[in-house]
């Protein structure tokens, strides 16, 4: 089972100074900053997935690449641009989430083939159009006409994509994208794609589905699937179900979820093999919009906020060095939290107490926890938050490695 990490240009600076919260004056971002596969060992994924929409950056939710970065990707190729080791593979897709509101995908077959070819991807997924809707097998609800149309668009584009890839002598493996709204419609797409000549198929639009719904689709696909066909689950990370998925021909998946939980989830920010912990919020006085408003309106004194912020960081570091008690850290955190959070918001203190008492970073073998200690458990700015995301990827990698497929 292969896990691909979708790229969103998430890098960290190895020389970042956590004590003074500043970058090295000698840092050259594109030369010195590192990706997750350079920051931890073993590499926490088998490969990366790069979306054309994220590179192009013209539609909503995109725009992660500057023009010079885009040009470097084309010039260097995906492997050199990402400084990927031989063991990592690359797959390109169009990033259908970014154009979900459009009537048709905004790309032509030729430009997508050109993107995959020029960047030197190992595999490239045909242009698809996501269907957002699910009808279970036993229901007699009719699919919306727009769903049928999106499935048809995806199939037609897949057919043109494969023909054009063959005609141009493309070096990447073409992957057909299947869209559907339930077991039979996914099976239909897979059957059609196999008939066209695809032997690797990516299942799209399943992100909102529950695991048992995905399984129902996979069972229906089993009825039509060729014995050598391989399935990829787009945007799906269900470690608990992966062994089951594998029995139905799934050989790869991609997801950003464990990475993003580090800074997007309200509670489950720091993962361990069996648990998840809440990271300790110590926002920067300058970088927190809510706090800034309170300061500007005069309800909070800036000097008081800065003092409280510094007291938290100092107490946390002393706690990690066993120089201060848990009670003292919690007192400092409570003082700052009461300034940052309004009276209506729920306090995180009980969650922090659990994080600090268990101090899970002390037991983590990953290079980042070993080097940065408690800093990785502090929710504050992208250098700490992304490192925590990279740590979560190492936990996922270990979980995947402990599964048995066969
Ligand atoms: Zn770690």
């Amino acid at each position: 089972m292969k896990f691909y990490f979708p790229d969103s240009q998430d890098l960290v600076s190895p020389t970042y100074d956590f004590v003074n919260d500043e970058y090295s004056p000698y840092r050259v971002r594109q030369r010195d900053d590192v990706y997750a596969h350079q920051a931890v060992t073993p590499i926490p994924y088998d490969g990366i997935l790069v979306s054309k929409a994220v590179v192009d950056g013209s539609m909503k939710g995109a725009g992660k690449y500057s023009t010079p970065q885009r040009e470097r990707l084309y010039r260097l190729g995906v492997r050199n641009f990402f400084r990927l080791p031989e063991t990592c593979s690359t797959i390109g897709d169009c990033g259908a989430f970014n154009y979900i509101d459009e009537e048709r995908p905004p790309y032509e077959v030729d430009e997508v083939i050109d993107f995959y070819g020029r960047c030197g991807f190992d595999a490239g997924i045909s242009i698809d159009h996501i269907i957002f809707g699910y009808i279970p097998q036993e229901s007699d609800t009719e699919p919306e006409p727009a769903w049928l149309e999106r499935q048809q668009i995806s199939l037609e584009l897949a057919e043109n994509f494969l023909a054009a890839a063959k005609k141009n002598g493309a070096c990447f493996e073409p992957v057909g994208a299947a869209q559907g709204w339930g077991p039979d419609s996914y099976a239909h797409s897979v059957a059609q794609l196999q008939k066209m000549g695809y032997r690797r198929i990516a299942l799209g639009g399943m992100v909102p589905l529950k695991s048992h719904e995905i399984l129902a689709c996979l069972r229906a696909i089993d009825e039509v699937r060729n014995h050598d066909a391989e399935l990829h689950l787009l945007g799906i990370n269900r470690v608990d179900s992966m062994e089951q998925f594998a029995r139905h021909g799934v050989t790869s998946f991609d997801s950003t979820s464990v990475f993003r939980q580090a800074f997007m989830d309200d509670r489950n920010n720091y993962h361990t093999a069996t648990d998840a912990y809440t990271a300790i919020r110590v926002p920067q006085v300058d970088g927190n919009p809510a706090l800034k408003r309170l300061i500007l309106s005069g309800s909070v004194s800036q000097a008081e906020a800065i003092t409280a912020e510094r007291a938290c960081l100092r107490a946390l570091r002393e706690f990690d060095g066993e120089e201060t008690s848990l009670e003292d850290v919690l007192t400092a955190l409570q003082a700052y939290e009461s300034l940052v959070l309004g009276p209506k918001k729920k306090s995180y203190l009980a969650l922090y107490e659990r994080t600090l008492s268990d101090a899970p970073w002390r037991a983590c073998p990953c290079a980042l926890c070993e080097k940065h200690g408690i800093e990785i458990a502090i929710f504050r700015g992208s250098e700490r938050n992304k490192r925590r995301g990279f740590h979560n990827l190492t936990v996922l990698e270990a979980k995947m490695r402990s599964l048995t497929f066969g």
Side-chain angles (χ1 to χ4, degrees):
M1 182 70 64
K2 286 196 160 145
F3 167 50
Y4 290 86
F5 183 53
D7 162 62
S8 193
Q9 284 302 289
D10 291 304
L11 297 98
V12 297
S13 168
T15 52
Y16 189 77
D17 174 354
F18 284 102
V19 173
N20 298 301
D21 259 315
E22 56 190 23
Y23 287 99
S24 156
Y26 307 108
R27 168 201 188 208
V28 178
R29 193 188 292 242
Q30 74 162 65
R31 184 193 65 197
D32 300 335
D33 286 11
V34 296
Y35 293 98
H37 53 266
Q38 299 175 287
V40 291
T41 44
I43 295 172
Y45 34 77
D46 300 285
I48 53 164
L49 178 144
V50 182
S51 295
K52 182 166 164 56
V54 172
V55 174
D56 285 357
S58 53
M59 277 150 292
K60 72 161 183 142
K64 292 287 184 185
Y65 282 63
S66 63
T67 308
Q69 278 178 316
R70 192 156 56 240
E71 284 165 2
R72 281 183 56 239
L73 170 63
Y74 279 119
R75 195 171 65 242
L76 298 175
V78 63
R79 195 163 283 283
N80 288 333
F81 178 83
F82 284 95
R83 303 169 217 134
L84 276 179
E86 275 303 307
T87 50
C88 277
S89 57
T90 59
I91 188 164
D93 83 344
C94 289
F97 266 103
N98 294 282
Y99 53 79
I100 195 158
D101 298 333
E102 311 287 321
E103 220 163 285
R104 280 190 68 89
Y107 300 125
E108 300 296 331
V109 165
D110 284 342
E111 64 176 312
V112 172
I113 288 190
D114 179 63
F115 171 66
Y116 296 157
R118 275 211 293 171
C119 296
F121 283 99
D122 298 317
I125 302 176
S126 65
I127 311 170
D128 61 336
H129 214 11
I130 294 179
I131 296 165
F132 259 137
Y134 183 78
I135 302 175
Q137 193 74 310
E138 57 278 10
S139 165
D140 44 11
T141 311
E142 289 295 317
E144 289 176 21
W147 300 357
L148 288 153
E149 202 179 316
R150 281 176 175 236
Q151 184 180 48
Q152 200 47 41
I153 288 172
S154 302
L155 288 172
E156 277 167 21
L157 287 169
E159 188 158 31
N160 298 343
F161 178 80
L162 189 62
K166 278 185 184 155
K167 193 175 130 221
N168 297 348
C171 290
F172 59 85
E173 177 191 16
V175 180
Q179 289 287 345
W181 52 84
D184 288 345
S185 56
Y186 273 107
H188 170 74
S189 283
V190 169
Q192 295 297 311
L193 291 165
Q194 289 182 149
K195 217 189 276 176
M196 292 171 202
Y198 284 103
R199 58 169 300 281
R200 192 170 176 198
I201 292 167
L203 305 176
M206 289 188 161
V207 173
L209 303 194
K210 300 190 174 70
S211 293
H212 73 87
E213 294 170 335
I214 295 174
L215 270 174
C217 294
L218 291 173
R219 275 195 291 269
I221 290 169
D222 272 344
E223 303 290 320
V224 299
R225 184 166 52 85
N226 294 340
H227 72 280
D228 63 343
E230 297 188 27
L231 302 177
H232 176 95
L233 295 175
L234 282 162
I236 302 292
N237 170 32
R238 315 280 168 87
V239 177
D240 298 340
S241 305
M242 274 304 160
E243 285 163 319
Q244 256 179 309
F245 293 165
R247 279 180 228 127
H248 298 280
V250 174
T251 56
S252 60
F253 67 102
D254 68 89
S255 164
T256 50
S257 70
V258 302
F259 174 73
R260 290 170 61 82
Q261 277 186 310
F263 43 90
M264 299 297 278
D265 203 275
D266 189 47
R267 287 156 181 258
N268 299 330
N269 308 122
Y270 181 100
H271 298 180
T272 67
T274 51
D275 213 335
Y277 291 88
T278 305
I280 294 148
R281 281 128 175 100
V282 187
Q284 283 156 295
V285 170
D286 297 339
N288 187 277
L291 186 53
K292 247 181 173 171
R293 271 196 300 277
L294 290 170
I295 291 169
L296 286 172
S297 69
S299 3
V300 169
S301 130
Q302 185 174 29
E304 196 188 338
I306 290 173
T307 307
E309 176 194 4
R310 286 186 186 153
C312 286
L313 291 172
R314 192 171 50 240
L316 286 164
R317 285 169 192 150
E318 284 174 4
F319 173 79
D320 208 27
E322 291 172 345
E323 293 156 21
T324 195
S325 68
L326 178 60
E327 289 68 34
D328 285 350
V329 188
L330 291 171
T331 305
L333 288 170
Q334 183 170 30
Y336 191 35
E337 186 183 73
S338 67
L339 291 181
V340 179
L341 292 182
K344 280 182 208 148
K345 292 249 178 77
K346 216 176 146 277
S347 168
Y348 289 94
L349 280 185
L351 300 166
Y352 294 162
E353 184 169 2
R354 181 170 166 269
T355 305
L356 292 167
S357 324
D358 288 4
W361 60 89
R362 285 182 186 153
C364 179
C366 95
L368 295 169
C369 290
E370 220 160 88
K371 179 169 177 201
H372 301 294
I374 199 168
E375 302 289 345
I376 206 151
I378 302 176
F379 197 123
R380 172 186 171 87
S382 79
E383 288 294 331
R384 287 179 183 79
N385 295 349
K386 285 183 180 175
R387 276 174 172 79
R388 191 165 55 255
F390 290 178
H391 152 88
N392 286 352
L393 285 170
T394 70
V395 175
L396 174 66
E397 192 274 341
K399 277 185 196 167
M400 289 299 302
R401 204 158 13 102
S402 73
L403 300 179
T404 45
F405 299 104

